[in-house]
Amino acid sequence: MTVSMGSSTFTSGIGYIAHDFDVSILAATLGLSLYVAGISAGPLVFAPMSEVYGRRAVYVPTWALFFLFQLGCSLAPNIEAFLICRFLVGAFGSPVLTVAAGSFSDIWKTHELGPPLGLFTMTAFLGPTLGPVIGGFIVEYMKGESWRWCFWIQVIITGAMIPAMLWLPETYAATIIEQKTGKPLRRKSKPEVFGTAIWRPLQLLFLEPIVLLVSLYISFLFGILYLFFGAYPYVFHKYHGFSPSQVGLSFLGIALGVILSLPTAGIANKIYLRLRAENPHRDTMAEARLPVAIPAATIAPVSLFWFAWTCSSKIHWIVPTISGVLFGWSMVILFICQISYIAETFLVYSASVIAANTIMRSLFAAGFPLFGRNLYAVLGEKWAGSLLGFIAVAFMPVPWAFYKYGGRIVGGGWYERDIEKQGEVRRADEGV
């Protein structure tokens, strides 16, 4: 949560950063975009590194660098230094969001992964919504260059967690065996590992329609969450005269929706297990992950239209805030159900599928804040929100279509051909 919250804690102080560094609001907003871009770039290096050197060898040094560049953000003398540090903070913080999924697989068996991954996913989405709450109070009540305290708080939290990182044990089985035996296991060469980590996610993303559509859908919703970091201050200050701390509190609606998604994910898992039990002859049943995503796909555009058409000084502020509960809930449910669906559909390459989704999701989150304020200023609050709602309506059939026809779409695609090719190579190596 520390890393995900770090993306948005300073957003309440963007105006102050622009003033202190004598730059535009857009330039100051780059601090948000570059942080998320760093999170997108980091896995391309650190995920394969964790498979070569082990998880701990990635977590410990990157967390130390995460701490140091947080310090750099706090002390930045100009906008250039600030933006460089923000990108590097995101990159070095990314392993705890991406490599962590591999650590969970190291510790728990496949059928036990649901609860820990569900809790992890909830905290990853909860962090960005709590950031403005904390940052809003810091910016409003701290004296002097108050926005710097948004980063000093993160420096303190990050530094306090360094001992925990130093005590973190190794969980990657191959590395543990090598440490105990003193003999290297036969694994892929480093160029092969890094090459696969970069190219396979891109191949799956652009050559498999299911991965592309699901990634686009999830990324669009994630982008809206980050767009709201500009839209909420604009709307709630304009129509309700909210101060920075009050604007931050308005994000608690989305945070409540994120929290409510956790028990709903438990219901979705029970439905999955029931459908699996009713079809024991099938090895996998990925589409059984999707039933709860179908109503969530309907609620997502409803929440966007709700927010758009309740932006008015004549309507109580609690009404648009409640729309955030529906958005937060539907966003996380659609993420959990659909990411589980594509991971099980492309089981052999599940790590690459998740990496592909992470890259696209982070790029959307980096891009949306850059045009959010202008979108609302040019189109107006109602039609800017409605535009997002109409796009969400266009995505509504995605979970239903894959629940109904997903198996036909996958069949004969690049994934199956590549699996067959890998099998032929393996049999040739074994002399079969």
Side-chain angles (χ1 to χ4, degrees), residues 272 276 279 281-287 344-345 347:
Y272 167 77
R276 282 295 307 270
N279 297 270
H281 58 285
R282 296 183 59 176
D283 293 333
T284 62
M285 195 175 180
E287 65 272 16
E344 187 168 336
T345 300
L347 191 59

Side-chain angles (χ1 to χ4, degrees), residues 338-385:
Q338 293 188 113
I339 206 73
S340 300
Y341 167 69
I342 59 174
E344 187 168 336
T345 300
F346 303 93
L347 191 59
V348 176
Y349 295 158
S350 60
S352 296
V353 166
I354 294 172
N357 182 270
T358 300
I359 292 168
M360 179 173 281
R361 190 172 75 247
S362 299
L363 291 175
F364 271 58
F368 272 48
L370 298 178
F371 64 78
R373 285 177 181 264
N374 289 336
L375 179 70
Y376 275 75
V378 173
L379 296 182
E381 301 79 14
K382 293 178 174 55
W383 288 110

Side-chain angles (χ1 to χ4, degrees), residues 66-324:
F66 179 70
F67 168 78
L68 290 175
F69 284 106
Q70 288 280 28
L71 194 61
C73 292
S74 306
L75 299 170
N78 53 53
I79 190 66
E80 293 82 6
F82 174 73
L83 294 178
I84 291 170
C85 286
R86 283 293 288 175
F87 176 80
L88 293 173
V89 166
F92 289 121
S94 65
V96 299
L97 294 176
T98 53
V99 178
S103 298
F104 287 153
S105 299
D106 297 338
I107 298 168
W108 286 282
K109 297 178 181 178
T110 304
H111 66 279
E112 299 172 337
L113 278 173
L117 275 178
L119 182 61
F120 173 76
T121 301
M122 186 196 74
T123 57
F125 279 95
L126 192 60
T129 63
L130 293 180
V133 179
I134 298 170
F137 280 94
I138 292 173
V139 168
E140 185 169 342
Y141 293 106
M142 297 296 292
K143 296 180 180 180
E145 293 182 322
S146 55
W147 62 267
R148 293 187 186 272
W149 272 102
C150 295
F151 298 103
W152 282 117
I153 292 295
Q154 294 174 65
V155 168
I156 293 168
I157 295 172
T158 305
M161 296 182 66
I162 289 177
M165 284 292 177
L166 293 174
W167 294 330
L168 197 68
E170 179 59 61
T171 61
Y172 192 49
T175 302
I176 294 173
I177 293 172
E178 287 179 347
Q179 290 174 348
K180 289 186 175 181
T181 62
K183 297 178 181 179
L185 296 178
R186 183 186 176 189
R187 288 190 268 179
K188 287 183 178 179
S189 66
K190 294 173 186 177
E192 285 179 314
V193 171
F194 280 87
T196 300
I198 294 172
W199 290 113
R200 186 175 288 158
L202 297 178
Q203 289 174 310
L204 286 162
L205 187 61
F206 293 110
L207 298 178
E208 284 293 346
I210 287 180
V211 178
L212 178 61
L213 273 175
V214 167
S215 296
L216 280 172
Y217 193 6
I218 293 174
S219 300
F220 170 69
L221 294 174
F222 202 59
I224 291 176
L225 173 63
Y226 277 79
L227 181 146
F228 279 161
F229 295 140
Y232 267 45
Y234 179 84
V235 168
F236 283 103
H237 177 73
K238 178 180 178 180
Y239 290 110
H240 303 287
F242 275 19
S243 66
S245 62
Q246 291 171 322
V247 170
L249 289 172
S250 67
F251 283 92
L252 289 178
I254 301 177
L256 178 59
V258 172
I259 293 170
L260 292 175
S261 69
L262 184 60
T264 311
I267 295 171
N269 193 55
K270 288 182 179 180
I271 293 172
Y272 167 77
L273 294 174
R274 177 175 59 81
L275 292 174
R276 282 295 307 270
E278 291 173 359
N279 297 270
H281 58 285
R282 296 183 59 176
D283 293 333
T284 62
M285 195 175 180
E287 65 272 16
R289 302 280 188 183
L290 294 174
V292 179
I294 296 172
T298 303
I299 292 174
V302 169
S303 71
L304 295 172
F305 285 118
W306 182 333
F307 179 72
W309 291 91
T310 56
C311 293
S312 171
S313 57
K314 298 178 181 178
I315 299 175
H316 195 276
W317 57 264
I318 195 65
V319 179
T321 302
I322 292 173
S323 72

